[in-house]
Amino acid sequence: MKLIRYGTPGQEKPGIILHHQKFDVSAFGEDYNEAFFATNGLQRLAEFLQQNEGQLQPIADSERLGPPVARPSKLLCIGLNYSDHARETGATPPPEPVLFMKATTSYTGPYDDIIIPRNSTKTDWEVELAVVIGKRASYVEEADAAAYIAGYALHNDVSEREFQLERSGTWDKGKGCDTFAPVGPFLATPDELGDVNNLRLWLSVNGQMMQDGNTSNLIFNIPFLISYVSQFMTLLPGDIISTGTPAGVGLGFNPPVYLKPGDVVELGIDGLGTSRQVLKAYGQN
């Protein structure tokens, strides 16, 4: 299945994509949130769709798409998880996953504007494969990790490099700014993707291809990441783990290239659709 949420920010309704058409499933009576995933919601939704085949109302293409999961308890990210990206930033590939968090207030829809923070001069892009957790996970064995995956989504891990690297603190300062986590357009259940270890992911800025990588180059694979993160904290249903970005970020150019108002970022992953964000200055309407 491909799950979507649509409508104005904070008032999104649940939907589904069937045969390339978006349909409303508000009659199902639940949003795609922690409670939904924790109570076998995907199976119950599949049964609802079967019972209501041919009766669902289409969603107009003009409707805004929100992020596909109602605000998760945690947005977890893995840094330096592609060897080519580690090299371009001058970092040594880490012996263990680098873990940081993005604020839930950074979480936004796939076509929403990215707001360049006040006093920012180094706002950057990062296309990433995001994993959505399907059930409560603590001290998960790597061999069992697949059972904890609800699905996957496209994520732009927007980053402010000065805030991240030059402001005497953790990476979180440059990762959690408002609008810095566009996710979607949809959540795809694992059966929709095939081999998750061989997906092309790409990103362009103003039509120029900047990133063009493949998940086959992950340093730490997804089952390992779920197991690893669950050793440090309990993962709740609907939580998101973003798995890292390949080479081609603005920081890696010589000289570096950063985003400015009016820039257009487009990105995509095989089987997970594409998204598009326009850069706006803070305070710009």
Side-chain angles (χ1 to χ4, degrees), residues 191-211:
D191 58 291
E192 293 278 353
L193 281 192
D195 185 6
V196 74
N197 297 308
N198 186 25
L199 300 177
R200 180 184 178 228
L201 63 172
W202 59 270
L203 181 145
S204 69
V205 178
N206 301 328
Q208 180 179 351
M209 190 68 70
M210 296 299 195
Q211 294 183 273

Side-chain angles (χ1 to χ4, degrees), residues 76-80 82 85 100 126-130 153-159 175 201-203 211 215 241-246 267-269 272:
L76 300 155
C77 296
I78 309 300
L80 305 175
Y82 287 76
H85 174 56
F100 62 91
E126 295 189 12
V127 59
E128 304 201 1
L129 172 67
L154 171 65
H155 174 218
N156 186 359
D157 174 21
V158 187
S159 310
K175 295 288 191 172
L201 63 172
W202 59 270
L203 181 145
Q211 294 183 273
T215 57
I241 300 176
S242 199
T243 58
T245 198
L267 56 152
I269 299 179
L272 292 174

Side-chain angles (χ1 to χ4, degrees), residues 14-15 43 83-84 107 117 138 154 167 170 222 268 282:
Q43 179 61 39
S83 56
D84 55 356
Y107 189 52
S138 180
L154 171 65
R167 296 291 296 273
T170 64
I222 291 164
Y282 180 83

Side-chain angles (χ1 to χ4, degrees), residues 214-256:
N214 193 288
T215 57
S216 61
N217 294 318
L218 285 167
I219 296 173
F220 302 106
N221 65 25
I222 291 164
F224 179 85
L225 292 175
I226 292 172
S227 174
Y228 182 86
V229 174
S230 76
Q231 310 304 308
F232 300 99
M233 65 194 75
T234 296
L235 299 169
L236 298 179
D239 281 357
I240 292 173
I241 300 176
S242 199
T243 58
T245 198
V249 301
L251 175 66
F253 286 83
N254 186 17

Side-chain angles (χ1 to χ4, degrees), residues 3-277:
L3 280 59
I4 60 172
R5 296 171 66 251
Y6 75 99
T8 57
Q11 300 180 32
E12 290 92 347
K13 301 175 183 178
I16 197 86
I17 297 177
L18 296 172
H19 311 298
H20 308 291
Q21 172 67 54
K22 299 189 288 288
F23 292 96
D24 175 79
V25 293
S26 297
F28 179 65
E30 300 176 42
D31 201 353
Y32 303 142
N33 55 22
E34 180 182 340
F36 167 82
F37 291 107
T39 56
N40 202 24
L42 290 172
Q43 179 61 39
R44 292 186 292 104
L45 178 62
E47 293 168 357
F48 170 87
L49 295 174
Q50 188 174 21
Q51 294 163 3
N52 292 272
E53 187 175 1
Q55 301 178 47
L56 301 176
Q57 293 299 310
I59 298 169
D61 288 338
S62 59
E63 289 279 4
R64 168 190 174 267
L65 287 183
V69 177
R71 197 171 85 175
S73 81
K74 293 184 284 296
L75 291 171
L76 300 155
C77 296
I78 309 300
L80 305 175
N81 200 26
Y82 287 76
S83 56
D84 55 356
H85 174 56
R87 285 195 301 270
E88 74 174 348
T89 63
T92 302
E96 294 187 37
V98 174
L99 179 62
F100 62 91
M101 292 188 176
K102 296 178 81 81
T104 54
T105 46
S106 69
Y107 189 52
T108 188
Y111 307 110
D112 293 341
D113 295 335
I114 294 171
I115 306 302
I116 298 173
R118 183 184 291 172
N119 301 319
S120 166
T121 59
K122 298 182 179 180
T123 294
D124 203 350
W125 58 84
E126 295 189 12
V127 59
E128 304 201 1
L129 172 67
V131 183
V132 179
I133 299 300
K135 60 182 181 179
R136 188 180 183 95
S138 180
Y139 298 106
V140 173
E141 296 294 332
E142 186 175 349
D144 300 328
Y148 291 83
I149 298 173
Y152 301 92
L154 171 65
H155 174 218
N156 186 359
D157 174 21
V158 187
S159 310
E160 213 296 338
R161 302 303 189 185
E162 181 189 6
F163 298 178
Q164 176 190 357
L165 302 172
E166 303 172 34
R167 296 291 296 273
S168 302
T170 64
W171 286 12
D172 301 51
K173 287 182 181 179
K175 295 288 191 172
C177 305
D178 291 355
T179 74
F180 269 27
V183 175
F186 52 80
L187 178 156
T189 51
D191 58 291
E192 293 278 353
L193 281 192
D195 185 6
V196 74
N197 297 308
N198 186 25
L199 300 177
R200 180 184 178 228
L201 63 172
W202 59 270
L203 181 145
S204 69
V205 178
N206 301 328
Q208 180 179 351
M209 190 68 70
M210 296 299 195
Q211 294 183 273
D212 195 350
N214 193 288
T215 57
S216 61
N217 294 318
L218 285 167
I219 296 173
F220 302 106
N221 65 25
I222 291 164
F224 179 85
L225 292 175
I226 292 172
S227 174
Y228 182 86
V229 174
S230 76
Q231 310 304 308
F232 300 99
M233 65 194 75
T234 296
L235 299 169
L236 298 179
D239 281 357
I240 292 173
I241 300 176
S242 199
T243 58
T245 198
V249 301
L251 175 66
F253 286 83
N254 186 17
V257 178
Y258 295 115
L259 295 166
K260 60 186 184 302
D263 284 347
V264 177
V265 177
E266 296 177 277
L267 56 152
I269 299 179
D270 289 347
L272 292 174
T274 64
S275 68
R276 179 182 186 273
Q277 297 98 42

